[in-house]
């Protein structure tokens, strides 16, 4: 079974600083990988996804993630944090095979932005 | 285009009761997935429906069930409620089965079991 591990349940950065949220996955097949964001009292919103092709994926709101097969990682970055980025971020992977439609989520990383 | 609509938004039930949650997907979307979100367990996959058929199921007891109608709307039912069923239940729709199209989430139904 596939799994995803997010390192750090809470990350705090200053406004304007680099944002780095870490995600490692385990997958026995080429993975479909996703990052979602959840604002308080709302559902999740897709930030970006990796399926095949270019390993650097650009998403909405200035976020990007790089797929590194050798490191089984899919870390999320943003060059300059904004106050509006404060939210919870989830990395996710498709289960694959006959269970491909089952999307497994990590435990989430809460991002705080200091003024 | 309207997003995913979940009703009701909040629900309070008593142990032993049953509950039905509703999800209307984005128009044209044919797949609906359900998740349970709790502070301790995070997001747990419940099931996924496509073309009125359950295609995948998570590791939940049989008290959790669901269905999908011909218009792609979906319901999930929890019978014999337990205190541990208190959670935010999220529905997500996608154009075709994930992961070939991304999940679009509703704002959830917050269920409190007392």
């Amino acid at each position: 079974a596939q799994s995803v591990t997010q390192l750090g349940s809470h990350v705090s950065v200053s406004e304007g600083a680099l944002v780095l949220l870490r995600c490692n996955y385990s997958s026995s097949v080429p993975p479909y990988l996703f990052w979602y964001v959840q604002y308080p009292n709302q559902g999740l919103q897709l930030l970006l996804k990796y399926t095949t092709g270019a390993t650097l994926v650009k998403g909405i709101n200035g976020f990007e993630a790089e797929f590194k097969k050798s490191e089984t990682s899919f870390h999320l970055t943003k060059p300059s944090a904004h106050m509006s980025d404060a939210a919870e971020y989830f990395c996710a992977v498709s289960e694959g095979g006959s269970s491909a439609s089952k999307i497994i989520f990590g435990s989430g990383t809460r991002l705080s932005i200091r003024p | 285009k309207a997003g995913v609509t979940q009703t009701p938004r909040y629900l309070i039930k008593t142990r032993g009761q049953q509950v039905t949650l509703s999800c209307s997907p984005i128009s044209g979307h044919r797949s609906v997935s359900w998740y349970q979100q709790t502070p301790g367990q995070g997001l747990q996959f419940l099931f996924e429906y496509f073309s009125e058929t359950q295609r995948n199921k998570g590791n939940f007891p049989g008290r959790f069930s669901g269905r999908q109608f011909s218009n792609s709307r979906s319901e999930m039912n929890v019978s014999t409620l337990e205190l541990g069923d208190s959670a935010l239940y999220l529905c997500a729709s996608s154009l075709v089965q994930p992961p070939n199209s991304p999940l679009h989430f509703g704002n959830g139904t917050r269920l409190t079991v007392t």
Side-chain angles (χ1 to χ4, degrees), chain A:
Chain A
Q2 297 353 339
S3 66
V4 62
T5 302
Q6 292 184 240
L7 299 174
S9 59
H10 182 211
V11 170
S12 179
V13 302
S14 297
E15 191 173 18
L18 171 73
V19 174
L20 171 60
L21 304 182
R22 299 177 188 275
C23 172
N24 288 89
Y25 68 91
S26 70
S27 176
S28 56
V29 297
Y32 286 75
L33 293 161
F34 309 86
W35 275 100
Y36 283 83
V37 61
Q38 185 178 32
Y39 298 100
N41 298 315
Q42 293 185 26
L44 283 71
Q45 179 185 2
L46 180 69
L47 277 176
L48 49 80
K49 63 177 180 179
Y50 170 80
T51 54
T52 58
T55 56
L56 183 62
V57 181
K58 294 188 185 300
I60 62 171
N61 302 338
F63 284 94
E64 61 183 36
E66 186 172 10
F67 170 63
K68 291 188 176 180
K69 185 177 179 181
S70 61
E71 298 178 8
T72 60
S73 69
F74 191 57
H75 302 332
L76 182 71
T77 60
K78 182 175 180 178
S80 177
H82 191 271
M83 296 299 290
S84 61
D85 295 327
E88 185 137 24
Y89 292 80
F90 293 90
C91 183
V93 65
S94 165
E95 181 75 26
S98 61
S99 298
S101 63
K102 183 176 176 181
I103 308 299
I104 306 301
F105 285 82
S107 55
T109 297
R110 184 163 61 89
L111 176 64
S112 300
I113 311 297
R114 301 188 300 271

Side-chain angles (χ1 to χ4, degrees), chain B residues 16-84:
Chain B
Q17 288 185 316
Q18 70 143 17
V19 66
T20 299
L21 312 182
S22 179
C23 173
S24 293
I26 291 171
S27 178
H29 284 198
R30 296 173 60 197
S31 172
V32 172
S33 300
W34 287 90
Y35 287 83
Q36 181 195 64
Q37 185 176 26
T38 59
Q41 298 296 316
L43 278 151
Q44 301 283 305
F45 175 82
L46 280 156
F47 22 67
E48 184 253 339
Y49 286 87
F50 181 75
S51 293
E52 303 178 63
T53 302
Q54 187 181 91
R55 305 290 177 156
N56 271 297
K57 185 174 171 16
N59 298 322
F60 279 82
R63 300 185 297 107
F64 291 81
S65 63
R67 60 179 175 167
Q68 186 181 35
F69 302 96
S70 58
N71 62 358
S72 294
R73 192 176 70 83
S74 178
E75 289 181 347
M76 67 163 279
N77 184 276
V78 187
S79 62
T80 319
L81 283 165
E82 300 177 0
L83 294 178

